[in-house]
Every structure is written in C-alpha cells, then in structure tokens.
Amino acid sequence: MAEIIKKQPKVAYFCMEYGLSHELPIYAGGLGVLAGDFLKAAHDLNLPVVGIGILWRQDYTEQFIGEDGRPYDLYPDYDYSNIKDTGKTVTVRIRGEDVICKIRLVDQYANAPLYLLDTNYPGSPHGWITNRLYGGTAQDRIAQEMVLGIGGIRALKALGIEVDVYHFNEGHAVFAGIELIREKMHGQHMSFVDAWQETRRQVCFTTHTPVAAGNESHDHGLLQHMEAYNGLNHEQMSRLGGDPFNMTAAALRLSTVANAVSKLHGQTARSMWKEVRDAAPIISITNGVHTPTWQADDIKEAFERGEDLWEPHMRHKKELLAYIKEQTGNELNPDALLVGFARRAAAYKRSDLIFRNAEVIEPLLKEGKIQLVFSGKAHPRDTLGKEIITDLVKMDRKYSNSVVFLENYNMNIARLLVRGSDVWLNNPKRPLEASGTSGMKAAMNGVLNVSVVDGWVAEGCQHGVSGWLICTVCKEPLTDINEDELDVQNLYRVLFDEVIPTYYNNREKWLEMMRASIDMSHYQFSAQRMIREYYELLYNRTYREQEKKNREPAMV
Ligand SMILES: *Cc1c(COP(=O)(O)O)cnc(C)c1O
C-alpha cells in the first residue's frame, strides 16, 4: 500500500481584524482577539501559518463618556510608521479604479507572520478603504472586503508564499474564494464549475454569528458596481451566494468543511444554514484563548505548585482597583465582592440585567456588599447600545462606591478585569452567544464565572464546582419578557444563596473553586488546543481532499 506522506499543510488565515496587543489597534472585539490569539498559538507551536488582514488607520472607535454621561466616538489617525513595509504592492480593481495596496508586515511572531494590506498611505487616492474598521457605507464595506479577499490572495502570490489551505475566519474574506476561482478560469482555462470545485478543496471556513441579521449580504447590483464579481458573472455569483449575495452562504459553498465556535453554536449554525444547498458540513471547534497572554504568571505558578491562590489574586484585584481609582476617582473596597462584566454593548448581551429589579439589588449596592465593574464599547451607529452604556454610567454616578463604568474598553482593560475581578458575569439572551471568550480568560485566572448556559460555558463550568450556572428551566417557550424576568430571578438566587455566602463565609470553598476553575479551563479553553483541532479537523481534512484528487487517474 502506498504510504501517505504526511506534512503539516501551510495555512493562510484571513480575518478582517486582529487583536494582538493594545498597541496595534486594528480590532473591534472578540473576533479580532481570537484571530490574534490564533496567531500567537501558531507561533508557540511552530505551525506554518500566515495571517492576512488590514492595517486600519483609525481603528474601530475610541469611545469615551462625555460630561452628559453619554458615549462619544473619537477617530485618531494612528502612526504606523513602525510597521514594516515589504516594499511590495498589489492592485485590486474597485469601482472603476486601480487601487494600489501596500503590503505591510508584523513579523513579531516569526513562523506566523501577519501581512496587512494598506491603501491609506501618503499620496494614495484610496485612503478611505482601509480607514475605519466596520465604518462607512455598504460600498465601503464591499471595497474593504475586496482588499482583504482579492488583495490578500494577490499579496500571497506577490510575496511568493505557497499555501495549501485558506481559512476564512468569518464571511468577510469570501472574495478570496472568488479570486481563487478567477485565477483558475483565466490562468488554467478551467470551467467555472471545475474551478469552483477545485477551490473548495483549498478552503475551510469558521462562522461566528448565530443571528441571521449579523450575517452580511449584499445586493448584486452593488457588487457589480463595485466590480466585486471579479470576472465572474451574475449566474455564477448567484450560485455561490444566492440573491442577495449572502457572504456566509457563499463561504459555506466555497469550503470543504466549516466550523462553528462551540458545541451549542454548532447546533444553532446547522439549523440556521440547513436551507443552503451544497453547503460544507458545519462541525464544532470551540474557541480558546492564548494562555500566556491572558493567564497571569503568578496565578499559573501558584496553581502548578499547589500554593495559595488568594495572595496573587488579591494582588491583581488591587491592581484593578488602583486603575479604577486613577481613571474614575471611584474607590472600591478590596475586601468586598467584585463582579466584572465587560462586553460589547449589544442589546442581547444584557449588561444591565442585574439592575432589573431595583428593590432587590440596590440595597446590596448601598451596603457595598457587591461591587460591579462594567466596560464595553457600542458600535458607533448603535443607538440602543449607546443607551445601555448611558444607563450604566447613571448607575456609576448614583453608586460611585459600588458601581464603575470604565470607558474605552480594550485589551488592556480586559486584561486587568479578567484577573482582578472575583466573579465574571455573563448573561446574554440564548442562544445568541456563539462562544464567548472573556469568561475563559477569567476562568484560567481563578475568577469564577456566573453565567447562563450558552456558548463555551455549557462545555466548561460545573455548577458549584468551577463556577455557577444561571439555569432557567421553563416549560413554555421563552418570550422576550419572561426570559429577562426568569433569568434575573435565577441570577439573584445564585448571587444571594451561593456566591455571596461563599465569598464572605467560606474562603476555603472559594479557593477550591478557583482551583477547579483553572483546572477546567487552562488547557480545554486554550488557543493551543483550538489550533490543534483546526489542524486535525479542518486543515488536514481540506488538504486530504487535494491529495485524493491528485491520486485520481487523469480523465482521458
Ligand atoms: C476577550 C475580548 C473580547 C471578547 O469577549 P466576549 O466574552 O467574547 O464578548 C472582546 N474584547 C476584548 C478587548 C477582549 O479582550
């Protein structure tokens, strides 16, 4: 029998945003931080990966709170002169013009370099394209996605990087698939169908968005106007993405295999996309976070040596309280329970759920028995999200010794919060949190999760052992109104009956739970585990399709 030669396929990973560090602000939230953690884990494990992204000149938004208590947005131009220029460029035809993209390089992760496309350089007439992450009109968005997808494939070629498998992290990168098809049709004179099938054997895809409206689709007329068809015709584009052109549906039809980001999200995603004919199967690979970035060294050491966790925990808590004092003037009590909550201010995340029944929660806040620290940005055009922040700021002003809102959420603030809080609260509407990753970061620092059963939590936390679950069992279908009410009652029950008594009266049990939380999370929810599964279940499987094809006898 012929020996199958095993090699580690070389992967090009496409993502609209990357959260590598606070110093390179080209991310908006969870998707970007995941992509950053992915590259770091690839670096640690010496895997042959290359990242493709965009150098966003003005970030997503810098969001501060005004005197009036409302969030406002600033868009400073960042100085990226320290980011290498490869000297190479690629050209993408967009709306009747040749757009020249510079290829910049972040090479800090050696075997896992990140190439960033940039149209916003002195003298460029197309600076608008890579100006602002998730900003602008539908036309802007399509242009950005063309730079990422079409420009990304051309950049790999210009750099002479050979790729075995292309990984689209979210649907934004789907025009890369169109470019791979175009190359085969024009360069190798393949038919559309052959080029499509051949491309499929090179692509895999991760879907992140369990809400239909969050999955982008575009009007065909607009795509044509932008020249996103890239040499394909209306019938071919419709076969891939439907009408209107759905980026997720197209990505599913362009890949060998796709994954959702937790087991529960896998169920949701499979039922969401079951109508898409010809779609790749959707498996589940649960997200993970880069342990060396998110787990404090002294916590890791104390855990491994079986030493006391309270001392390093208190050190991080005091560091957080010092930051809060410096930023807001609020002085919190290091000996009182501290609950952290930092999320994008999207309505479904329900940051303000805990305040729902004022007569229950406010006495605790007055007494200082429970302290709440919030952070999070709203999308600049999300008025509802901004209302939520305004309400949180009102609570901060009313209870300045027990409620805090930290403005301009970023990776630095996240780092302080996920190691300095006692408890990490997570209460989104279900099943809308695909995975969630901030709770993983908290868990591996011994910060105990109090969470509804959604996303990663369903696979991780054990109630009363490594965290607490807010379980709402309801015979009737949950409606918007009763879901909030039932969840908040259960949240209060867990807080009053379990979290508060354990924190104040049973330090030993608390420490045991911290230990169980770290034990449960530090490998299972690491990016190192995640990327190993990517190789096993996505990349090798996609690559095997190419090997299979190559072993088929040639058609005569
Ligand atoms: C981890 C992280 C996120 C994602 O958190 P979720 O729990 O998935 O919402 C968002 N923003 C920053 C800055 C993070 O560090």
Side-chain angles (χ1 to χ4, degrees):
M1 234 167 77
E3 180 102 334
I4 297 169
I5 295 161
K6 272 233 164 139
K7 80 160 199 175
Q8 212 66 277
K10 170 120 187 165
V11 175
Y13 181 89
F14 284 67
C15 190
M16 196 77 152
E17 46 170 308
Y18 287 86
L20 287 163
S21 77
H22 173 61
E23 281 71 40
L24 183 56
I26 55 170
Y27 63 93
L31 181 72
V33 176
L34 184 82
D37 282 3
F38 166 86
L39 282 186
K40 291 176 191 172
H43 169 65
D44 296 347
L45 297 172
N46 201 26
L47 293 166
V49 161
V50 35
I52 299 287
I54 288 179
L55 187 62
W56 299 104
R57 177 66 47 181
Q58 297 187 336
D59 188 7
Y60 170 60
T61 168
E62 297 272 302
Q63 197 167 75
F64 299 96
I65 305 299
E67 290 289 324
D68 62 355
R70 298 180 162 276
Y72 66 92
D73 299 287
L74 288 182
Y75 303 98
D77 269 341
Y78 286 93
D79 174 12
Y80 290 134
S81 50
N82 58 332
I83 296 188
K84 267 189 201 154
D85 188 340
T86 61
K88 297 233 163 40
T89 62
V90 290
T91 304
V92 183
R93 183 93 185 154
I94 298 177
R95 207 170 54 192
E97 291 178 44
D98 285 329
V99 174
I100 299 172
C101 316
K102 278 182 185 280
I103 309 172
R104 313 283 294 267
L105 167 63
V106 177
D107 59 1
Q108 168 185 6
Y109 302 101
N111 57 290
L114 173 60
Y115 291 98
L116 296 170
L117 294 152
D118 177 15
T119 67
N120 195 319
Y121 48 86
S124 166
H126 304 113
W128 56 277
I129 300 178
T130 63
N131 196 42
R132 210 177 276 176
L133 173 60
Y134 304 135
T137 61
Q139 295 205 16
D140 295 336
R141 176 67 70 89
I142 294 168
Q144 295 165 348
E145 290 168 339
M146 290 171 73
V147 166
L148 177 69
I150 301 171
I153 296 290
R154 293 180 185 169
L156 289 162
K157 221 171 207 180
L159 295 160
I161 298 171
E162 286 191 25
V163 173
D164 299 307
V165 173
Y166 299 87
H167 183 173
F168 300 168
N169 192 37
E170 217 12 322
H172 309 119
V174 95
F175 299 134
I178 310 298
E179 170 66 1
L180 290 169
I181 291 177
R182 188 200 62 83
E183 275 182 345
K184 294 178 182 67
M185 288 172 70
H186 290 243
Q188 301 166 40
H189 305 291
M190 280 191 194
S191 71
F192 166 71
V193 171
D194 286 351
W196 172 15
Q197 294 314 314
E198 186 83 5
T199 295
R200 270 194 107 143
R201 287 188 273 270
Q202 300 175 292
V203 178
C204 55
F205 167 54
T206 301
T207 178
H208 292 264
T209 315
V211 190
N215 287 270
E216 229 179 285
S217 61
H218 295 295
D219 179 74
H220 276 274
L222 199 57
L223 289 181
Q224 246 165 336
H225 176 65
M226 299 304 290
E227 297 186 54
Y229 275 17
N230 193 31
L232 270 59
N233 64 31
H234 180 258
E235 191 233 320
Q236 293 161 345
M237 287 296 277
S238 302
R239 278 180 78 176
L240 295 173
D243 187 3
F245 186 89
N246 185 297
M247 302 290 276
T248 307
L252 287 168
R253 290 197 184 99
L254 278 163
S255 37
T256 293
V257 53
N259 79 289
V261 293
S262 70
K263 293 197 170 73
L264 274 178
H265 177 227
Q267 294 171 13
T268 311
R270 280 187 290 275
S271 96
M272 247 179 101
W273 301 108
K274 63 175 186 289
E275 309 295 337
V276 178
R277 287 179 48 214
D278 282 339
I282 302 174
I283 61 170
S284 294
I285 299 178
T286 304
N287 284 343
V289 301
H290 185 244
T291 330
T293 298
W294 296 108
Q295 187 183 41
D297 293 337
D298 50 2
I299 291 279
K300 176 182 156 74
E301 275 162 30
F303 173 77
E304 282 168 358
R305 294 188 189 137
E307 288 169 7
D308 175 45
L309 287 167
W310 196 250
E311 196 209 314
H313 173 66
M314 281 307 283
R315 201 159 39 238
H316 297 297
K317 188 170 178 180
K318 284 177 181 158
E319 199 187 343
L320 171 61
L321 296 193
Y323 179 82
I324 289 171
K325 174 141 198 289
E326 180 199 308
Q327 292 293 311
T328 67
N330 294 19
E331 274 191 72
L332 300 192
N333 174 5
D335 297 317
L337 179 67
L338 186 70
V339 177
F341 187 113
R343 300 271 154 36
R344 199 154 46 83
Y348 83 89
K349 302 230 184 197
R350 299 191 295 186
S351 321
D352 47 1
L353 186 73
I354 194 168
F355 296 125
R356 189 176 162 92
N357 295 348
E359 70 283 5
V360 179
I361 196 72
E362 297 199 12
L364 286 183
L365 298 173
K366 277 196 193 117
E367 220 185 310
K369 201 147 195 185
I370 178 167
Q371 311 177 97
L372 303 168
V373 184
F374 295 93
S375 193
K377 292 176 183 171
H379 184 281
R381 283 194 303 261
D382 178 5
T383 15
L384 197 57
K386 290 193 167 174
E387 282 307 316
I388 294 172
I389 292 179
T390 306
D391 287 344
L392 294 174
V393 172
K394 274 188 199 145
M395 294 307 283
D396 169 328
R397 292 181 178 178
K398 189 165 173 193
Y399 298 104
S400 59
N401 293 320
S402 42
V403 181
V404 170
F405 181 84
L406 291 170
E407 63 187 0
N408 203 29
Y409 185 45
N410 57 38
M411 288 178 73
N412 254 3
I413 296 178
R415 187 166 173 276
L416 286 164
L417 283 171
V418 298
R419 57 182 64 173
S421 305
D422 296 308
V423 156
W424 196 250
L425 179 61
N426 179 48
N427 49 230
K429 275 184 184 295
R430 280 143 296 148
L432 301 179
E433 193 62 272
S435 165
T437 51
S438 60
M440 302 172 181
K441 302 168 191 167
M444 53 182 64
N445 284 300
V447 171
L448 300 177
N449 278 272
V450 171
S451 176
V452 300
V453 187
D454 198 12
W456 76 276
V457 176
E459 298 158 45
C461 283
Q462 234 185 312
H463 183 76
V465 176
S466 50
W468 287 279
L469 301 175
I470 308 167
C471 281
T472 298
V473 184
C474 183
K475 291 208 178 69
E476 284 100 64
L478 289 173
T479 65
D480 276 358
I481 308 161
N482 73 9
E483 185 177 4
D484 283 355
E485 190 49 38
L486 290 171
D487 282 350
V488 81
Q489 283 168 15
N490 288 318
L491 165 61
Y492 290 154
R493 194 154 54 223
V494 167
L495 281 177
F496 282 88
D497 297 351
E498 310 200 49
V499 180
I500 292 174
T502 311
Y503 183 81
Y504 288 105
N505 309 327
N506 196 347
R507 176 65 42 81
E508 213 163 297
K509 163 121 198 263
W510 192 276
L511 284 165
E512 225 172 84
M513 288 185 70
M514 286 178 72
R515 189 162 284 287
S517 167
I518 300 171
D519 193 39
M520 164 275 287
S521 57
H522 72 131
Y523 183 71
Q524 193 184 344
F525 297 104
S526 69
Q528 290 86 334
R529 186 272 309 151
M530 174 182 78
I531 200 169
R532 287 200 169 105
E533 289 190 19
Y534 280 173
Y535 262 88
E536 242 169 75
L537 304 172
L538 295 183
Y539 306 154
N540 289 343
R541 178 164 170 188
T542 304
Y543 190 58
R544 270 200 305 275
E545 289 297 311
Q546 296 168 37
E547 290 184 324
K548 243 196 264 172
K549 174 77 186 352
N550 292 339
R551 285 200 306 275
E552 274 171 19
M555 299 272 266
V556 230

